[in-house]
Amino acid sequence: MAEAVSEARIALASGDVPVAAILVDAAGNRLAVGRNERELSHDPTAHAEIVAIRAAARELGTWHLEDTTLVVTLEPCTMCAGAILQARIPRVVFGAWDEKAGAAGSVHDVLRDQRLPHRVEVVAGVLAEECAGLLADFFDELR
């Protein structure tokens, strides 16, 4: 998570919401990194998770991202949770809760919805204060 926080600071420097995601393999090796790029790319789908998932799929030559873990500084939203499910990512570790748009246990729990064919192990709150602090500082600066 510390690496993801460092990557989130890079997103912050580019004017995007400071969120980053790192996809690692079963041995913990980094497969891909993603940072929020909505402002940079003018793409509403360029959330950190989506950017990392796309990069990993290209690198591995498959959309099946089994045996991976997605580490992200903010609880995934519904769009990102859907992408995580579609990619068959079995585990998500996140830092800060997103009480407005989270889809991994706060507002919704898409990742563990028993009605869906794939469920994800969720580990929440890793370096939560540091992750939340980056976001709070960013939004305080906007006001």
Side-chain angles (χ1 to χ4, degrees):
M1 184 62 75
E3 286 183 48
V5 169
S6 294
E7 294 290 342
R9 286 190 175 101
I10 295 170
L12 178 63
S14 71
D16 267 290
V17 177
V19 177
I22 299 175
L23 197 69
V24 298
D25 64 17
N29 300 310
R30 182 193 289 211
L31 297 172
V33 64
R35 293 178 221 84
N36 270 7
E37 296 179 359
R38 292 184 311 165
E39 298 298 329
L40 182 67
S41 66
H42 309 292
D43 179 356
T45 69
H47 288 201
E49 300 94 324
I50 303 293
V51 173
I53 289 168
R54 287 176 178 160
R58 276 191 306 273
E59 178 69 24
L60 297 173
T62 182
W63 60 269
H64 290 271
L65 301 180
E66 292 125 347
D67 299 322
T68 63
T69 297
L70 184 67
V71 178
V72 61
T73 57
L74 179 65
E75 178 185 6
C77 69
T78 304
M79 176 184 68
C80 294
I84 291 163
L85 291 171
Q86 290 300 314
R88 306 299 190 262
I89 296 170
R91 185 169 191 239
V92 170
V93 176
F94 71 85
W97 289 95
D98 185 347
E99 298 296 336
K100 293 183 180 178
S106 62
V107 178
H108 302 287
D109 200 353
V110 174
L111 295 179
R112 295 177 287 198
D113 191 323
Q114 295 295 313
R115 297 168 295 182
L116 299 173
H118 179 70
R119 279 164 291 294
V120 177
E121 175 189 357
V122 175
V123 178
V126 177
L127 294 181
E129 288 182 23
E130 190 170 354
C131 294
L134 276 174
L135 292 161
D137 291 347
F138 174 79
F139 287 110
D140 285 348
E141 191 77 21
L142 286 180
R143 294 182 191 117

